[in-house]
Amino acid sequence: ARRTGNPFAVTLLGLVAGAKSLDFWLIAISFGICGLSTAGLVGTHFISYCVDEGYSQAASAGLLGSLGVSSLLGSICSGWLTDRCDARLMLLGIFALRGVSLMLLPYSGFDMASLTAFAVFNGVEWVATVPPIVKLLNEVFGRERAPVLVSWVYAIHQVGSALAAMGAGVLREASGSYLPAFMTAGVACLLAAFLAMRIGRVQPVAA
């Protein structure tokens, strides 16, 4: 049925309804960590990190570009798998592997082969969290409320991105290295993997 009422009120009421559920916060925090570990950290600071390690800005930007290209494949595969697999297990795998890769990067030697592998791997799972996140919101809250809540968790994703964009820069200036920022993001991703498995298998909330 076509939704009626003031759109602004519908948006706020959707947030109020979602905020009463632990599952909403588990999903939102996980997606916030997704933003922290992708656009906030890698998208903002990867080129600077490579420059710190002796690469030119052009070569570093090329590596980041390869990440963007491989994300196309990853998002398609994630959508296909989400229709066939448990979304919680998918998030567990994505966040765990992402966290490990972020923590291993500072110790990779920063040769071109390892940087290329990191860029391609992170590209594949860059947008891969979106289909399972949307599926879980539909499962928990139903198709009537899920679209509004998708927007709210995406807003939290952007908050995570902003915190990492600023925080990684602060840590870099304070320590002289990106190591603390990447290790922190890696640990946060492992936390997100744990949170994803806590999302309950409940009946959709009545609209």
Side-chain angles (χ1 to χ4, degrees):
R2 187 171 183 175
R3 186 182 294 276
T4 59
N6 183 285
F8 185 71
V10 169
T11 301
L12 291 181
L13 290 173
L15 175 62
V16 170
K20 296 176 182 178
S21 168
L22 175 61
D23 286 331
F24 171 80
W25 292 110
L26 292 173
I27 295 170
I29 293 171
S30 297
F31 208 36
I33 293 173
C34 175
L36 178 151
S37 58
T38 54
L41 178 64
V42 177
T44 304
H45 294 281
F46 181 71
I47 292 176
S48 298
Y49 197 1
C50 290
V51 170
D52 279 357
E53 298 296 325
Y55 288 88
S56 68
Q57 291 180 347
S60 305
L63 288 166
L64 189 61
S66 67
L67 185 153
V69 172
S70 59
S71 70
L72 175 63
L73 174 63
S75 59
I76 293 172
C77 292
S78 177
W80 186 86
L81 287 171
T82 298
D83 288 337
R84 295 159 175 80
C85 302
D86 187 333
R88 298 160 188 80
L89 291 176
M90 287 188 61
L91 290 176
L92 170 67
I94 292 168
F95 279 121
L97 292 173
R98 181 185 296 177
V100 171
S101 71
L102 290 173
M103 290 188 287
L104 287 179
L105 178 63
Y107 303 101
S108 66
F110 273 86
D111 57 277
M112 185 56 71
S114 61
L115 286 176
T116 301
F118 173 83
V120 172
F121 174 78
N122 272 264
V124 168
E125 45 81 16
W126 186 276
V127 192
T129 56
V130 176
I133 287 287
V134 173
K135 180 179 180 180
L136 287 173
L137 286 170
N138 275 280
E139 286 182 0
V140 175
F141 297 99
R143 295 186 177 183
E144 194 70 21
R145 284 183 174 169
V148 170
L149 296 177
V150 167
S151 300
W152 280 114
V153 299
Y154 188 73
I156 295 173
H157 177 281
Q158 297 303 86
V159 171
S161 298
L163 289 174
M166 179 182 71
V170 171
L171 289 173
R172 164 67 178 79
E173 289 300 305
S175 66
S177 168
Y178 274 111
L179 174 62
F182 274 75
M183 296 300 290
T184 300
V187 171
C189 286
L190 297 181
L191 172 63
F194 171 76
L195 294 179
M197 295 306 297
R198 302 283 295 177
I199 300 170
R201 299 172 180 274
V202 299
Q203 294 297 317
V205 177

